[in-house]
Amino acid sequence: MVEIESLKKWIELYGEKVTENKEHLNQLDSDIGDGDHGSNLTRGAAAVKEKVSESEYENLSDFFKDIGMTLVSKVGGASGPLYGSAFISMAKQAKESDDLAVLLEAGLDGIQKRGKAEAGEKTMVDEWIPVVEALKENNLTNKVIEDSLQKTKDMKATKGRASYLGDRSIGHIDPGAQSSAYLFESLLEAGVLNG
Amino acid sequence: MVEIESLKKWIELYGEKVTENKEHLNQLDSDIGDGDHGSNLTRGAAAVKEKVSESEYENLSDFFKDIGMTLVSKVGGASGPLYGSAFISMAKQAKESDDLAVLLEAGLDGIQKRGKAEAGEKTMVDEWIPVVEALKENNLTNKVIEDSLQKTKDMKATKGRASYLGDRSIGHIDPGAQSSAYLFESLLEAGVLNG
Amino acid sequence: MKKIMNNPGRIVDEMLDGMAFAYDSIVERIPETKVIHRKHEKNGKVGLVSGGGSGHEPAHAGFVGKGMLSSAVAGQVFTSPTPDQVLEGIKAADEGEGVFLVIKNYTGDVLNFDMAKDLAELEDIEVESVVVDDDIAVEDSTFTAGKRGVAGTVLVHKILGAAAEEGYSLKELKDLADKVVANLASIGLSLKPATNPEVGKPGFELAADEIEFGIGIHGEPGYRREKLQPSKDLAAELVNQLKKEQNWSAGDSYALLVNGMGATPLMEQFVFMNDVKKLLSEKEGLELSFRKVGDYMTSIDMAGVSVTLLKLEDPKWIEYLNAPVDVIGW
Amino acid sequence: MKKIMNNPGRIVDEMLDGMAFAYDSIVERIPETKVIHRKHEKNGKVGLVSGGGSGHEPAHAGFVGKGMLSSAVAGQVFTSPTPDQVLEGIKAADEGEGVFLVIKNYTGDVLNFDMAKDLAELEDIEVESVVVDDDIAVEDSTFTAGKRGVAGTVLVHKILGAAAEEGYSLKELKDLADKVVANLASIGLSLKPATNPEVGKPGFELAADEIEFGIGIHGEPGYRREKLQPSKDLAAELVNQLKKEQNWSAGDSYALLVNGMGATPLMEQFVFMNDVKKLLSEKEGLELSFRKVGDYMTSIDMAGVSVTLLKLEDPKWIEYLNAPVDVIGW
Ligand SMILES: Nc1ncnc2c1ncn2[C@@H]1O[C@H](COP(=O)(O)OP(=O)(O)O)[C@@H](O)[C@H]1O
Ligand SMILES: Nc1ncnc2c1ncn2[C@@H]1O[C@H](COP(=O)(O)OP(=O)(O)O)[C@@H](O)[C@H]1O
Ligand SMILES: [Mg+2]
Ligand SMILES: [Mg+2]
Ligand SMILES: [Mg+2]
Ligand SMILES: [Mg+2]
């Protein structure tokens, strides 16, 4: 069972991490994309912060829905609808469950429904899948997060903008996997799991 | 009295000098103009060479007229009509005189009628005036040519493109004076005066 | 980065305001949105909406007006607009007969426009769409996001715009769009990368004597780098790629667009057109029934050109390409 | 130098061929000349001819066609065309009612066009002319060749073109031209110099954080260099210079042209327009009855913009500015 307060903390930390690492995310995206992933998410993070800090939430679903809608309407690009769909899907799931593993699994499902990416295509999905697995088994650690991230390096992108590079996408970390790693690191730091 | 053969030599040498020094003329023109004086005259020299080498001349006037018309129709820019007018004016004068000083004085007159520049305005005129003077006194030397050229350095341009620079035109040799210096150096080298 | 701008974060807003002010007889900006809408009065025709990341000016807002787009939705530079913005564009364009979306094939655009379509249908606006994927530099396989949408999109706008103006139904527009896109192929090259104002440095690097074939309009990688070479050789390379893709027969009728990338002087574009002409018209014997040269689908300040060929399957398309329009950038 | 070209010495020829091919319904190249002539059939009106060095595309050939120029004469890059070429342009333009020349104020252009005028008169073609000198960055004194002719020239083409189309006599065109030129003022700035293909290196140097105010369209020096600054400050500087020159009163009617120098993305031009608007319209209260943004009088691949203001002394000028044309570049 998760508390809204700690979730707020989570999302706040995530926003901070993305903002601090804006240039790094842009750089990763420059290497295999168009260099805007950090700028996109920073814009989204600022909007989410404003939205969430202004509101009182009675239930998880409204909280996730606000985040999802804000991301969808502020981020743009590929990552906007994907992260947005994750949170909107979590909002739906939150009406039935408050188990974090279940919620994040619904989030992953939202991303995959929208973006059609499977494991191994070098997208954010490659960060989400192992994390959701670990959560289910109750052993999400920074190592899991970091290992999955590093694994995207050897993958060849077959979805999204990086797929235009073909083999040349190999050797680079996927920017969306990196921003997802920040999301899950923040989850650990915010202590949501201990809640 | 001048011979057409030596004049042909003169014009040939002039064309060679301009062509060899194309970059230098462009550089002088870059400093205080638009950097094309060498390219303009090289284009003219090639056309004059073709025209003159194809033709047999019975009289001076036709020879000068061909050169003048060719320059007018091939050079463009400010220097095209000015050099062109010089030779066309010499062609007119050649119907009455074959004295080189008289001819070149007519040439200078053609330039000034067209371009309205007086002495001291930092134009080709500042090379022509002292040369014509020297020719009249029968003492044209490379020193006269070089000295007049160097004097344009301290002048402030008040005609042509260089005038936009105002005081900043000071300290640079005028490109049209430089190309005119080549014209007169060639005159000496071709031995027209000894003719 | 040397750019005429104030705040990179506000560059799109200020651009849209400048555009709406300068051409207020043709377009207006819908307040509080990133939508440029035509002033042309509504007369019960299908609305045509396009858009995408900014930085491709005059695309897409420059094609809004009588005879072309009803509205254009601008995203941040090189970033797809969001679904709520696209929805605003759709709502403005709707004249009761449905709205047709022209989407360039990028994951971001496809996802955002698709979400907008869902939203519009919730508001009872019928929506159809086509995804333009004319960039043959990219392989169209399951291992890529598919071919990218580039300059050929502008020809789609023009042809569909004229057809919509003529009164085509949503369904008819969809059929026409599918046919046009199937006959469309583009390919580009770059001499100098673009600098996204929000990023502040060039999207890639090219040596002083290097060019890249097959580059995308957001600086996506091309298929080969080579030394700078004469225009006629550059033209030959692009034309060869197009030839491999399309089945040319002498006498076939094509529309030809030579498109500048934003920082390529028109002088160079015309020289390039002259070389392309020699290859297509004199050597291959194609009938180039429609020709156009200029900046239509740019990539900010990239130097380079692209060539688009549209096989004119239906002679009516020539009419549509030549139909008069009242827009800023055609 | 990175340019799409073959032989720099043939760049103008190839450009003209490319242009005539691409737009053969509007223009033709007169064989063996550097003249682009409109295809519009002759109907006994005064012919309008302009031209100058190349490198300013779409000027001048891009303005040839119904409602604007009858012919445009192209010189080498940044070099005035020669009198024989101008004469060809005049002859092509002549419909029996005389020919009017629009000359930009540069020594070369003035001398060559004047010689052409003499030649045309020998062939019994009546010729009148105006010398456009709208660049207020240069002092108009006996110590200079006078103010330069820059982007405002395009508005002269447009207004005179519409008037000629309406049937103005040579004398009436001359009066109109003099009035328009007297009310015209332009000023520009540069972020990056142009490279003349025949020269091979930039015409001047600017540091990475430097801009120059008052630069000419051939890279002639401006009046001051400063650090790069926000668009609104750049706009304020140019607007202030124009204000010093023209006597503005709130409510006065002006035409406004924001002109790109060739390598300036439209995005930046629109942002700049937005800042100019705030100053002229919101602060000074001018009535901007006609507005236009884009590349009209460029300087090859220079990055920069210019602002042109034309005081609309006669409301008819607005009509002329808005009159339809069939040209490549308006
Ligand atoms: N089809 C997809 N499914 C899942 N994730 C995707 C897909 N396409 C792209 N992504 C993710 O989006 C990231 C890029 O996001 P971003 O740079 O913001 O958008 P854009 O590519 O439109 O510029 C990629 O690094 C990748 O992780
Ligand atoms: N009014 C004038 N009278 C005499 N010479 C002039 C005049 N204006 C310019 N010139 C000469 O022309 C030269 C420049 O020629 P050129 O570079 O070929 O033409 P442009 O200035 O049109 O590019 C100057 O260096 C100067 O000597
Ligand atoms: Mg990206
Ligand atoms: Mg010069
Ligand atoms: Mg993007
Ligand atoms: Mg010149």
Side-chain angles (χ1 to χ4, degrees):
Chain A
M1 212 216 94
V2 292
E3 297 280 338
I4 290 191
E5 273 323 296
S6 68
L7 290 178
K8 273 199 172 178
K9 183 91 194 288
W10 167 35
I11 295 305
E12 209 171 282
L13 276 174
Y14 172 52
E16 281 167 18
K17 265 196 218 294
V18 160
T19 308
E20 274 161 28
N21 293 291
K22 176 178 153 185
E23 294 310 328
H24 178 56
L25 289 169
N26 279 343
Q27 185 55 54
L28 291 178
D29 196 30
S30 287
D31 293 340
I32 59 171
D34 60 351
D36 62 359
H37 189 57
S39 305
N40 291 345
L41 289 187
T42 301
R43 195 167 52 241
V48 165
K49 188 175 172 185
E50 202 185 306
K51 182 81 196 171
V52 167
S53 69
E54 272 173 1
S55 320
E56 286 297 322
Y57 293 99
E58 309 249 301
N59 61 63
L60 280 187
S61 183
D62 290 351
F63 174 70
F64 286 135
K65 189 175 164 210
D66 264 8
I67 294 172
M69 294 302 286
T70 304
L71 290 175
V72 163
S73 68
K74 292 295 170 189
V75 175
S79 57
L82 291 166
Y83 272 116
S85 297
F87 281 93
I88 291 169
S89 182
M90 284 158 72
K92 284 184 196 152
Q93 189 63 50
K95 295 193 171 162
E96 276 151 42
S97 163
D98 61 1
D99 180 289
L100 204 69
V102 174
L103 289 170
L104 284 174
E105 184 164 31
L108 168 59
D109 194 50
I111 294 173
Q112 289 191 292
K113 281 227 172 82
R114 176 83 33 217
K116 311 275 183 296
E118 302 295 330
E121 300 206 81
K122 195 180 187 107
T123 69
M124 55 174 72
V125 161
D126 294 305
E127 184 65 35
W128 281 70
I129 290 176
V131 164
V132 167
E133 280 314 307
L135 268 176
K136 282 198 205 162
E137 287 157 25
N138 222 340
N139 61 1
L140 178 63
T141 60
N142 274 317
K143 184 167 178 340
V144 171
I145 296 169
E146 183 62 21
D147 285 354
S148 335
L149 177 63
Q150 291 304 329
K151 276 191 194 138
T152 66
K153 213 167 177 171
D154 295 335
M155 295 176 184
K156 172 171 155 181
T158 52
K159 279 280 183 309
R161 216 178 275 278
S163 69
Y164 304 136
L165 278 167
D167 287 337
R168 284 176 286 163
S169 68
I170 296 171
H172 298 276
I173 285 177
D174 176 62
Q178 175 68 76
S179 60
S180 297
Y182 293 147
L183 181 68
F184 301 125
E185 286 168 15
S186 310
L187 190 71
L188 294 180
E189 279 177 41
V192 181
L193 301 182
N194 330 332
Chain B
M1 214 216 98
V2 292
E3 296 280 340
I4 288 189
E5 274 322 296
S6 67
L7 290 178
K8 273 200 172 178
K9 183 93 194 285
W10 167 34
I11 295 305
E12 210 171 281
L13 277 175
Y14 172 53
E16 280 167 17
K17 264 197 217 296
V18 159
T19 308
E20 275 162 26
N21 292 289
K22 176 178 153 185
E23 296 307 328
H24 179 55
L25 289 170
N26 279 344
Q27 185 54 54
L28 292 179
D29 196 29
S30 286
D31 293 340
I32 57 170
D34 60 351
D36 61 0
H37 189 57
S39 305
N40 291 345
L41 288 187
T42 301
R43 193 167 53 241
V48 165
K49 187 175 174 185
E50 202 185 307
K51 181 81 199 170
V52 167
S53 70
E54 274 174 0
S55 319
E56 286 296 322
Y57 294 100
E58 308 249 300
N59 61 62
L60 281 187
S61 184
D62 289 350
F63 175 69
F64 285 137
K65 190 176 164 210
D66 265 8
I67 295 172
M69 295 302 284
T70 305
L71 290 174
V72 163
S73 68
K74 292 297 169 191
V75 176
S79 57
L82 290 166
Y83 271 115
S85 296
F87 281 93
I88 290 170
S89 183
M90 284 159 72
K92 284 185 196 152
Q93 189 62 49
K95 297 197 169 160
E96 275 150 43
S97 163
D98 62 1
D99 179 288
L100 203 70
V102 173
L103 289 171
L104 284 175
E105 184 164 31
L108 169 59
D109 194 50
I111 295 174
Q112 289 191 290
K113 280 228 172 81
R114 177 81 34 216
K116 310 277 184 297
E118 302 295 330
E121 300 206 80
K122 196 180 185 109
T123 70
M124 56 174 71
V125 162
D126 295 305
E127 184 66 35
W128 280 70
I129 290 177
V131 164
V132 167
E133 278 316 306
L135 268 176
K136 281 198 207 165
E137 287 157 26
N138 223 338
N139 62 2
L140 179 63
T141 59
N142 274 317
K143 185 170 175 341
V144 170
I145 296 169
E146 183 61 21
D147 286 353
S148 333
L149 178 61
Q150 292 304 328
K151 276 192 193 137
T152 66
K153 212 167 179 171
D154 295 336
M155 295 177 185
K156 173 172 154 180
T158 52
K159 279 282 184 307
R161 218 177 272 277
S163 69
Y164 304 136
L165 279 166
D167 288 337
R168 283 176 288 164
S169 68
I170 297 171
H172 299 277
I173 284 176
D174 177 61
Q178 175 67 75
S179 60
S180 297
Y182 294 146
L183 181 69
F184 301 126
E185 285 168 17
S186 311
L187 190 71
L188 293 181
E189 279 177 42
V192 182
L193 300 182
N194 330 332
Chain C
M1 172 179 49
K2 242 180 180 179
K3 286 190 191 288
I4 300 175
M5 63 174 178
N6 297 297
N7 176 343
R10 289 195 37 81
I11 199 166
V12 173
D13 269 308
E14 295 179 8
M15 166 183 81
L16 296 176
D17 280 345
M19 193 179 260
F21 167 74
Y23 295 98
D24 70 357
S25 63
I26 304 176
V27 298
E28 65 192 339
R29 179 173 180 186
I30 299 185
E32 323 266 300
T33 74
K34 302 231 155 65
V35 177
I36 293 287
H37 179 60
R38 66 180 173 192
K39 281 199 162 165
H40 176 46
E41 92 281 24
K42 299 192 188 257
N43 47 13
K45 289 173 182 163
V46 174
L48 196 62
V49 174
S50 191
S54 292
H56 306 303
E57 294 68 31
H60 302 82
F63 305 123
V64 170
K66 188 169 154 60
M68 269 178 102
L69 301 179
S70 311
S71 14
V73 190
Q76 297 292 319
V77 178
F78 286 0
T79 301
S80 162
T82 55
D84 53 313
Q85 295 296 310
V86 179
L87 176 64
E88 296 296 333
I90 293 173
K91 289 201 294 197
D94 180 37
E95 305 183 2
E97 295 299 316
V99 172
F100 193 84
L101 306 181
V102 181
I103 309 169
K104 299 200 301 306
N105 190 32
Y106 299 95
T107 306
D109 291 69
V110 171
L111 296 181
N112 285 288
F113 277 75
D114 272 356
M115 287 184 90
K117 200 166 157 180
D118 295 347
L119 295 174
E121 277 158 7
L122 286 178
E123 305 210 10
D124 288 325
I125 304 175
E126 215 185 327
V127 179
E128 269 293 359
S129 63
V130 71
V131 175
V132 183
D133 60 345
D134 54 323
D135 189 350
I136 63 162
V138 176
E139 243 182 302
D140 191 14
S141 77
T142 50
F143 301 112
T144 65
K147 291 185 294 163
R148 302 175 292 231
V150 292
T153 310
V154 176
L155 301 183
V156 178
H157 292 161
K158 184 65 181 72
I159 292 175
L160 295 190
E165 185 63 29
E166 199 178 286
Y168 269 49
S169 71
L170 196 55
K171 169 84 186 51
E172 288 166 337
L173 275 184
K174 172 66 179 157
D175 289 346
L176 175 61
D178 286 343
K179 272 192 210 133
V180 170
V181 169
N183 282 288
L184 196 62
S186 301
I187 188 153
L189 63 86
S190 173
L191 280 72
K192 198 180 66 72
T195 298
N196 183 331
E198 288 211 58
V199 177
K201 59 184 178 44
F204 55 96
E205 271 166 44
L206 272 177
D209 62 347
E210 228 181 14
I211 56 110
E212 183 162 335
F213 291 115
I215 203 93
I217 56 170
H218 310 91
E220 295 95 342
Y223 60 85
R224 200 164 67 235
R225 288 189 176 194
E226 286 189 7
K227 295 276 173 222
L228 179 63
Q229 49 205 267
S231 169
K232 64 179 171 32
D233 299 329
L234 297 175
E237 169 63 26
L238 297 193
V239 163
N240 276 340
Q241 295 294 338
L242 288 164
K243 185 175 182 174
K244 273 192 241 165
E245 183 75 17
Q246 296 179 316
N247 286 321
W248 298 345
S249 309
D252 281 355
S253 172
Y254 279 83
L256 165 63
L257 171 68
V258 167
N259 173 64
M261 291 304 199
T264 309
L266 264 180
M267 170 178 273
E268 295 174 40
Q269 296 182 41
F270 279 118
V271 166
F272 189 75
M273 172 53 116
N274 188 49
D275 289 314
V276 169
K277 169 199 91 175
K278 285 186 188 154
L279 296 165
L280 292 182
S281 163
E282 294 166 22
K283 191 160 155 242
E284 300 285 341
L286 300 188
E287 187 73 49
L288 299 167
S289 317
F290 177 87
R291 303 160 303 278
K292 211 166 169 68
V293 182
D295 285 8
Y296 297 97
M297 182 67 76
T298 62
S299 180
I300 318 181
D301 53 352
M302 183 186 286
V305 284
S306 66
V307 183
T308 297
L309 278 174
L310 169 65
K311 180 160 192 209
L312 295 164
E313 223 184 60
D314 185 337
K316 226 178 147 89
W317 298 0
I318 306 179
E319 253 173 66
Y320 289 154
L321 285 168
N322 284 314
V325 288
D326 186 22
V327 302
I328 300 167
W330 177 250
Chain D
M1 172 178 48
K2 242 180 181 180
K3 287 190 192 286
I4 300 174
M5 61 173 181
N6 296 298
N7 175 344
R10 289 196 36 83
I11 198 166
V12 173
D13 269 309
E14 295 179 9
M15 166 182 81
L16 295 176
D17 280 345
M19 193 179 261
F21 167 74
Y23 294 99
D24 71 357
S25 62
I26 304 177
V27 298
E28 64 191 342
R29 178 175 180 182
I30 299 186
E32 321 267 301
T33 74
K34 303 230 154 64
V35 177
I36 293 287
H37 180 60
R38 66 180 173 192
K39 281 201 163 163
H40 175 46
E41 92 280 27
K42 299 191 188 258
N43 47 15
K45 288 173 183 163
V46 174
L48 196 61
V49 174
S50 191
S54 292
H56 307 303
E57 293 66 32
H60 303 83
F63 304 122
V64 170
K66 188 169 152 62
M68 268 178 103
L69 301 179
S70 311
S71 12
V73 191
Q76 297 293 319
V77 179
F78 285 0
T79 301
S80 163
T82 55
D84 55 313
Q85 295 297 310
V86 179
L87 177 64
E88 295 297 333
I90 292 173
K91 288 201 294 201
D94 180 38
E95 305 183 5
E97 296 298 316
V99 172
F100 193 84
L101 306 180
V102 181
I103 309 169
K104 298 202 299 309
N105 190 31
Y106 298 95
T107 305
D109 291 69
V110 171
L111 296 182
N112 284 290
F113 277 75
D114 272 357
M115 287 183 90
K117 200 167 157 177
D118 294 350
L119 296 175
E121 278 158 5
L122 285 178
E123 306 209 10
D124 286 325
I125 303 175
E126 214 185 329
V127 178
E128 269 292 358
S129 63
V130 71
V131 176
V132 183
D133 62 344
D134 54 324
D135 189 351
I136 62 163
V138 176
E139 243 183 302
D140 190 14
S141 77
T142 48
F143 299 114
T144 66
K147 290 186 294 163
R148 301 176 293 233
V150 291
T153 309
V154 177
L155 300 184
V156 178
H157 293 161
K158 184 66 181 73
I159 292 176
L160 295 190
E165 184 64 28
E166 199 177 285
Y168 270 49
S169 71
L170 196 55
K171 168 84 185 55
E172 287 165 338
L173 274 184
K174 172 66 178 158
D175 289 346
L176 174 61
D178 286 342
K179 272 192 209 132
V180 170
V181 169
N183 282 287
L184 196 62
S186 299
I187 188 153
L189 63 86
S190 173
L191 280 71
K192 199 180 66 70
T195 298
N196 183 331
E198 287 211 59
V199 178
K201 60 184 176 48
F204 55 96
E205 271 167 42
L206 272 177
D209 62 347
E210 231 181 11
I211 57 110
E212 183 162 337
F213 291 116
I215 203 94
I217 56 171
H218 310 91
E220 296 96 341
Y223 60 85
R224 200 165 67 236
R225 288 189 174 195
E226 286 188 9
K227 294 278 170 220
L228 180 63
Q229 48 206 267
S231 169
K232 65 180 169 37
D233 299 329
L234 298 174
E237 170 62 27
L238 297 193
V239 164
N240 277 338
Q241 296 293 338
L242 289 165
K243 186 175 181 174
K244 274 193 240 163
E245 183 76 16
Q246 295 178 319
N247 286 320
W248 296 345
S249 310
D252 282 355
S253 172
Y254 279 83
L256 164 64
L257 172 68
V258 166
N259 173 65
M261 291 303 198
T264 309
L266 263 182
M267 172 178 273
E268 295 174 38
Q269 296 182 39
F270 279 118
V271 166
F272 189 75
M273 172 53 115
N274 188 48
D275 289 316
V276 168
K277 169 199 91 176
K278 285 185 189 155
L279 295 165
L280 292 181
S281 162
E282 293 166 20
K283 192 158 155 243
E284 300 286 342
L286 300 187
E287 187 73 49
L288 299 167
S289 316
F290 177 87
R291 302 160 304 278
K292 209 166 171 67
V293 183
D295 284 8
Y296 297 97
M297 180 68 74
T298 62
S299 179
I300 320 180
D301 54 352
M302 182 186 288
V305 285
S306 65
V307 183
T308 297
L309 278 174
L310 168 65
K311 182 162 190 204
L312 295 165
E313 224 183 59
D314 185 337
K316 228 179 147 87
W317 298 0
I318 305 178
E319 254 173 66
Y320 289 155
L321 286 168
N322 284 314
V325 288
D326 186 22
V327 302
I328 301 167
W330 176 252

